[in-house]
Amino acid sequence: KEKRVLDMCTGSGCIGISLSVLGNYETVEGADISREALRVAEENNRRLSGRVAFRQSDLFGAFEEQERYDVITSNPPYIPSAVIEGLEPEVKDYEPRLALDGSADGLEFYRRLAEECPGHLNPGGKLYLEIGYDQGEAVEELLRQRGFVNRRIVKDAAGNHRVVCGEWPVSGK
């Protein structure tokens, strides 16, 4: 049973707060680089009676080396930079660019997460990454290259790739 959960790039906190309210975890934490996003997340946590502890961090930059989790979730910025201006006005005009821009190919944060998450996952720990509809194979390959096992791509109700999952091996790597 998972006891410690981290929602990386938590934004408004919806994933972490939902897990704290609906799940049965001892600890749920959320981290984001944006102080403004964390203010929103903290207010949402209060209003929804969540039990999430938030911290400001550029991915794992503010984490101690020994901090480990059973589950890490993330909905990082994944829109390719050149695509942002073509997004619907309700997205591009109201979402902070920091929350959208995943670099030239949209995969920058997945590369960083694939590299950094193993240092913060317990053996057998699980990683769940929300992705863009066309990023499933690329993100799954990043996790494969890093040594994650039991990888899979989960589709949404419309049949699009939406989440890539992986497990850090019990023996480590």
Side-chain angles (χ1 to χ4, degrees):
K1 178 174 174 349
E2 292 89 6
K3 296 180 187 317
R4 290 180 48 90
V5 177
L6 172 64
D7 181 31
M8 182 57 73
C9 305
T10 196
S12 65
C14 62
I15 294 172
I17 295 167
S18 295
L19 291 172
S20 81
V21 172
L22 302 173
N24 189 21
Y25 305 105
E26 286 182 13
T27 303
V28 179
E29 296 179 36
D32 203 285
I33 194 170
S34 168
R35 185 67 222 143
E36 182 57 34
L38 290 171
R39 277 194 280 277
V40 171
E42 289 164 349
E43 175 62 17
N44 288 339
N45 192 48
R46 186 193 63 72
R47 291 178 54 224
L48 297 168
S49 300
R51 299 174 286 104
V52 182
F54 294 103
R55 75 171 94 175
Q56 189 171 10
S57 184
D58 180 1
L59 292 188
F60 291 96
F63 286 73
E64 298 294 325
E65 187 176 316
Q66 71 276 9
E67 289 183 88
R68 302 259 189 258
Y69 298 88
D70 300 299
V71 174
I72 296 175
T73 63
S74 187
N75 180 9
Y78 60 75
I79 309 295
S81 303
V83 173
I84 293 174
E85 285 309 310
L87 294 174
E88 298 84 2
E90 59 269 19
V91 176
K92 71 174 180 163
D93 295 343
Y94 294 99
E95 290 290 331
R97 189 170 184 107
L98 183 68
L100 302 172
D101 197 336
S103 76
D105 65 359
L107 299 175
E108 178 61 28
F109 288 94
Y110 299 115
R111 286 185 195 92
R112 290 181 62 196
L113 287 162
E115 184 63 31
E116 295 179 32
C117 280
H120 295 280
L121 276 170
N122 286 320
K126 296 169 182 64
L127 177 62
Y128 298 92
L129 302 172
E130 184 170 337
I131 58 167
Y133 74 95
D134 60 349
Q135 296 172 322
E137 288 87 7
V139 173
E140 190 271 339
E141 176 61 16
L142 290 170
L143 296 187
R144 186 197 66 73
Q145 289 174 4
R146 187 59 177 97
F148 283 85
V149 297
N150 300 324
R151 298 171 314 278
R152 70 184 192 284
I153 301 170
V154 179
K155 295 181 178 181
D156 62 18
N160 295 315
H161 291 174
R162 185 52 53 204
V163 175
V164 174
C165 312
E167 183 177 322
W168 191 240
V170 173
S171 61
K173 184 165 177 152

